[in-house]
Amino acid sequence: MLIFDHVHFYYQQEHPILDDLSFTIEPGEFVAMVGANGCGKSTVAKLMDGLLLPKQGHVTFGNLETSNPEDLVSIHEKIGIVFQNPEDQFITTTVLDEILFGLQNIRVPREEMDQRVEEALHMVHMEDYKEAMPHHLSGGQKQRVAIAAILAMRPQIIIFDEATSMLDPEGREQVMKIMKELHRQGMTIIHITHHMDEVLFAKRLLLLHEGRIEFDGEPATFFETVNVTDYQLEKPFSVRLHQNLHLNTPLTADWKEMIRSEWNAN
Ligand SMILES: Nc1ncnc2c1ncn2[C@@H]1O[C@H](COP(=O)(O)OP(=O)(O)OP(=O)(O)O)[C@@H](O)[C@H]1O
Ligand SMILES: [Mg+2]
């Protein structure tokens, strides 16, 4: 269980970013986090992983706490972050080395490495690209390698911080598919995004506003009850379709599927 317990955070004391923020994420959840530009989403992601530390309050994962220096290595191993720009995430020259680099950092025994690399590349369908140079890959492929490098660490939580925002529609779809598959296998997924259609894949949505959680609930309820433009957000296409056509079928991310099931019910 990941717990934010009365967390306060600022970069400069006169500009508080997070103000007494508390929430809990249970193992296996698929949570979307949204909010206006600059409201502090990436800050929350970095606090989760111990890359930033709370000024007051506690961030804990099981019996580990980010403010305990001796817990940080375990926390980095258990909680991985995929960032926005795939270019910024590569340190080495081949896909294989990129994944090995992370494993060496957490001191995985040599004899265990090959299997972890194979497994991780298989999960993102990049097993044929082991010797490829990251800068020759497409944006979506790069992001899949970044995900594989994290998967090889066998984390319990993966945070995607706008990880789809620089990708073309095909790349985004591939990354969303991987997220759904990892969730299906039991991993905890936290997806920070500006793409409102993607939040419909999550089971729970957190809206961050002025340093606090303003909404915590199901995405469908969020779009029914919250005036999203107040938070610089938009209703996704499938929500507009669902509301404008007064569909009876449940709201889903896949609008074609929604129309099909409405059609079949009539
Ligand atoms: N290293 C830093 N030093 C000082 N201020 C920072 C730093 N990083 C972020 N900020 C400020 O803190 C606030 C929250 O930033 P953060 O990146 O967490 O927001 P965000 O919700 O992720 O934004 P976006 O939607 O643009 O990704 C912003 O006002 C930002 O300018
Ligand atoms: Mg951000």
Side-chain angles (χ1 to χ4, degrees), residues 193-204:
T193 184
H194 280 288
H195 286 289
M196 288 298 117
D197 48 337
E198 294 173 0
V199 311
L200 295 170
F201 292 110
K203 303 282 187 302
R204 178 180 172 198

Side-chain angles (χ1 to χ4, degrees), residues 89-105 110 113-114 117 121 129-134 145 148-149 152-153:
Q89 305 186 49
F90 292 105
I91 300 157
T92 63
T93 47
T94 67
V95 167
L96 176 63
D97 281 349
E98 195 57 35
I99 298 172
L100 288 176
F101 179 79
L103 294 181
Q104 280 154 3
N105 273 343
R110 182 69 242 173
M113 285 187 178
D114 287 348
V117 170
L121 286 175
Y129 292 85
K130 241 188 275 179
E131 300 306 328
M133 287 185 271
V145 174
M153 314 247 217

Side-chain angles (χ1 to χ4, degrees), residues 218-256:
E218 287 184 22
T221 315
F222 173 72
F223 291 113
E224 272 163 29
T225 59
V226 174
N227 190 9
V228 297
T229 49
D230 291 350
Y231 305 96
Q232 296 175 23
L233 304 172
E234 287 177 355
K235 280 183 191 169
F237 180 69
S238 68
V239 169
R240 281 184 280 139
L241 197 69
H242 195 266
Q243 291 178 346
N244 293 343
L245 298 182
H246 305 288
L247 301 180
N248 294 312
T249 188
L251 173 65
T252 64
D254 184 348
W255 64 270
K256 287 181 195 150

Side-chain angles (χ1 to χ4, degrees), residues 111-123:
E111 58 278 12
E112 214 186 283
M113 285 187 178
D114 287 348
Q115 199 200 338
R116 286 202 186 206
V117 170
E118 294 298 331
E119 251 174 44
L121 286 175
H122 177 72
M123 277 164 109

Side-chain angles (χ1 to χ4, degrees), residues 24 37 41 43 116 123 157 159 186 196 199 204 208:
T24 296
N37 278 123
K41 302 177 297 296
T43 303
R116 286 202 186 206
M123 277 164 109
I157 300 182
I159 304 165
M196 288 298 117
V199 311
R204 178 180 172 198
L208 191 64

Side-chain angles (χ1 to χ4, degrees), residues 179-191:
M179 251 185 247
K180 281 184 270 180
E181 176 58 21
L182 293 173
H183 169 63
R184 203 187 57 77
Q185 293 175 11
M187 197 172 290
T188 308
I189 305 290
I190 299 170
H191 181 34

Side-chain angles (χ1 to χ4, degrees), residues 41-42 161-162:
K41 302 177 297 296
S42 296
D161 187 0
E162 311 267 359

